Amino acid sequence: MKIVTYNVNGLRQRVSQHGSLLRLLNSLDADIICFQETKLSRQELSADVTMAEGYEAFVSCTRTSNKGRTGYSGVATFCRVRSSFSSNEVALPVAAEEGFTGLLECLKKREITRDFLHTPVEVEGLSDITNEDLLKVDSEGRCLITDHGHFVLFNIYGPRAEEDDKERIQFKLLFFRMLEKRLESLLTQGKRVFVAGDLNIAPAAIDKCDAEPGFEKNMFRKWLRSLLQECRGSFFDVFRSKHPERKEAYTCFPQCVGAEEFNYGSRIDHILIAGPCLHQNHNLEGHNLLDCHVEVCDIMTQFKRGNSDNTPKWNGGRSTKLEGSDHVPVYVVLRDIPDLSTHDTPSLAVRYFPEVRGWQQTIVSFLMKRKVSSNCKHHSLSNFSSVEDTLIENCGECVECSLACGTKSQHVNASDVSHSSGQDLPYFNSGGESFNSNVIKDSSITVDGTQNTLLRLKTEPARSLSHCKLKLKKKGGHSNSSQLTLTSFFQKPNIVRTIGVETVNTGGSSTPEDTEKPRDNLSHVTEGAGKIFSENVKDSSSERNDSSISSHVQEQGCSDPSFFYKKDKDNVAILEWQRIQEKMKKSLPLCKGHREPCVARSVKKGPNTGRQFYVCARAKGPASNQEANCDHFQWASVKSKENRR
């Protein structure tokens, strides 16, 4: 059995990076996967980030909005199973619980073991602890407990606290003290306990690059080490137990200093285990959970950002943002874990969440007057007038060569237009194949009165529309399901001018002159429907593009000079910005280590908030590495009011 812990720094971002949740999970190739910092609130849960074939999911989301912490933390546990019901797999938990104080489960009226809270709470360094304080500990979605029969697994995302933030330090202290009490309660019952997650604590100096003097005297590091067997605790730090002398083994790399480049990080993601081994021998001397059942434990460095050779170097920042989390996963492989008795998926599983699977309807809902929603799927546009004589022209080169391409006008009928809720508008060529949405950016189709519209273009087989680019835009003025009124057929047409294209918007019928202008590439009139289809033409050559657009604008009689000089203005703006950047570089001080221009920064909080300073532009790294940041720091000079005058 393989267990992985991974701070994803936003689950939706990681799913997008890998293409799907299933690909993300399969890339980790584990039976139990513990994610931290999912950054999902309960309202943001959806099937694309919680449901994957072959996996059961359990999540805990942030419930508080204090200091803007909604969707800030959050944990999720994914279990790879062959069957969700009547299964004997260890990966499928027999029970699950959100939080570790038991108060959240009490609110849900579930029966759980809360022996560790039956007595008055007395925590060292804290006093007058109330149930409200304990509820706050569980309200940030930082703990998920799953009972796998042979062991109880804690998925933990430990809070982070700055040295000057006394409130968060108190919260962090209460969090870990209450966690310790829950762990002790389970161990006294003879349970095997696994703790996996981002604890935001590096236990010793070996776990931090260039640890400062007194690093290990921090009270949270002392607390973590007190749990370990080296300090007469009950837990094994599995990675350090397997690799006691390994240095430069880090799991977190700060993004703001380019720490990945020179491996400037810390080991704050852990897997801790405690309890007896699974062997049934009467003589268990020399047996323990680590030696008997842990095969291997290591850091999955292949997930580290910036591993490729073409990664841009850090220079006070990066020209392109690196994909991936600022953490890397840690895994452990267990052996000799027997199956369990038959059991089903616990009720805390995401498959039972109404936010994901939908709310169950009642009989009353069928008797109420139905509301038309923008997400409803309409099966026709019969309430609109027929769409006829709509011309769509195309050309892959320029406006002037439209006749040379031999492209004929295409017709769009009302029977060929239908709604498709919840989907993006696809693009079609004459062969019925959809265009790549990433390529099609320049052209547009504007439709009045509807938002989610799927267009099917009947084209002649002999004529290719491979260069025609269509895109849907929503035009204001009508709701998604509004019906045209009689007055709309008597309104004057609105003319909207764009580069090389004149769009005529009318609610009435089109005239023959409107439908017979293939040479001018004008927008096209939709008779009786109040819909306009326009097409922008993209040239393959910039010189030809400028000349064709200029001549076409002259033909249309457009008097706006910005059409002629927009490109020149853009070029002037770019050159001016480059000049400003060069001037700024010359005014920047040089760092002491490399004699290179520094980067400017400003203080974000504290008594010096807003004050500017300069630091070395290179990425942070070990002090022994001459290529890394030289730690140059210099306050920006502040001129007095007298000197400014």
Side-chain angles (χ1 to χ4, degrees), residues 405-408 410 430-431 459-466:
C405 290
T407 304
K408 290 186 177 182
Q410 307 295 329
S430 61
T459 59
E460 298 178 12
R463 304 299 181 183
S464 173
L465 285 178
S466 60

Side-chain angles (χ1 to χ4, degrees), residues 68-89:
R69 295 187 183 276
T70 299
Y72 165 75
S73 53
V75 293
T77 301
F78 289 85
C79 304
R80 184 168 61 185
V81 295
R82 294 186 298 272
S83 174
S84 301
F85 305 99
S86 300
S87 174
N88 62 352
E89 300 170 84

Side-chain angles (χ1 to χ4, degrees), residues 264-277:
Y264 185 82
S266 57
R267 191 176 68 91
I268 61 177
D269 301 87
H270 306 284
I271 297 178
L272 312 177
I273 62 173
C277 71

Side-chain angles (χ1 to χ4, degrees), residues 18-310:
H18 286 80
S20 69
L21 175 62
L22 184 60
R23 289 181 181 178
L24 169 62
L25 297 174
N26 288 342
S27 68
L28 296 167
D29 188 25
D31 299 288
I32 303 175
I33 301 171
C34 299
F35 286 149
Q36 300 87 42
E37 204 172 356
T38 57
K39 297 183 179 180
L40 294 174
S41 65
R42 183 82 179 224
Q43 293 74 23
E44 294 172 326
L45 294 180
S46 56
D48 60 324
V49 292
T50 56
M51 301 292 290
E53 184 179 358
Y55 291 87
E56 285 295 326
F58 304 84
V59 301
S60 179
C61 302
T62 306
R63 286 175 164 79
T64 180
S65 59
N66 293 340
K67 296 186 177 181
R69 295 187 183 276
T70 299
Y72 165 75
S73 53
V75 293
T77 301
F78 289 85
C79 304
R80 184 168 61 185
V81 295
R82 294 186 298 272
S83 174
S84 301
F85 305 99
S86 300
S87 174
N88 62 352
E89 300 170 84
V90 179
L92 182 66
V94 298
E97 178 183 340
E98 189 179 2
F100 53 74
T101 67
L103 296 179
L104 292 179
E105 301 298 322
C106 184
L107 293 176
K108 298 175 185 176
K109 297 182 180 180
R110 293 177 178 169
E111 294 183 1
I112 63 166
T113 302
R114 296 180 59 240
D115 295 338
F116 76 109
L117 287 180
H118 283 173
T119 57
V121 179
E122 295 180 2
V123 179
E124 181 182 352
L126 299 171
S127 59
D128 300 327
I129 303 301
T130 65
N131 277 356
E132 291 183 1
D133 297 324
L134 296 178
L135 190 59
K136 289 180 181 178
V137 170
D138 277 345
S139 295
E140 291 191 6
R142 295 183 175 274
C143 178
L144 194 60
I145 306 173
T146 50
D147 187 347
H148 297 267
H150 298 306
F151 58 87
V152 178
L153 175 63
F154 283 69
N155 182 358
I156 298 293
Y157 177 40
R160 184 172 175 267
E162 300 290 345
E163 294 181 358
D164 57 347
D165 193 340
K166 294 182 179 179
E167 182 180 350
R168 290 303 289 178
I169 289 178
Q170 290 290 96
F171 176 86
K172 185 172 182 176
L173 181 59
L174 178 61
F175 180 92
F176 285 122
R177 289 299 187 187
M178 295 312 303
L179 173 61
E180 181 182 1
K181 289 180 71 68
R182 184 64 188 271
L183 297 176
E184 290 175 350
S185 174
L186 292 171
L187 290 174
T188 55
Q189 299 174 36
K191 299 282 189 179
R192 302 172 193 88
V193 180
F194 291 12
V195 179
D198 173 12
L199 301 185
N200 261 313
I201 302 174
I206 193 176
D207 300 310
K208 175 73 169 66
C209 184
D210 289 349
E212 60 274 9
F215 179 81
E216 297 184 358
K217 295 181 180 180
N218 178 276
M219 64 176 173
F220 296 111
R221 295 187 180 93
K222 288 182 178 180
W223 170 84
L224 181 54
R225 290 197 303 274
S226 70
L227 299 181
L228 306 180
Q229 290 211 345
E230 298 84 54
C231 299
R232 298 182 179 180
S234 303
F235 286 86
F236 290 98
D237 179 352
V238 183
F239 175 83
R240 189 53 68 193
S241 297
K242 289 291 185 179
H243 312 282
E245 303 298 330
R246 184 188 291 186
K247 298 180 180 179
E248 300 180 358
Y250 309 129
T251 64
C252 179
F253 306 89
Q255 302 181 66
C256 59
V257 293
E260 305 91 350
E261 193 164 317
F262 297 110
N263 197 35
Y264 185 82
S266 57
R267 191 176 68 91
I268 61 177
D269 301 87
H270 306 284
I271 297 178
L272 312 177
I273 62 173
C277 71
L278 290 168
H279 295 150
Q280 301 298 324
N281 299 335
H282 295 289
N283 184 12
L284 295 179
E285 185 177 354
H287 287 247
N288 60 63
L289 194 56
L290 178 71
D291 297 332
C292 294
H293 299 288
V294 175
E295 187 171 306
V296 63
C297 179
D298 215 332
I299 300 171
M300 303 175 74
T301 56
Q302 67 269 27
F303 283 81
K304 183 179 176 181
R305 302 187 316 158
N307 273 335
S308 60
D309 296 333
N310 58 354

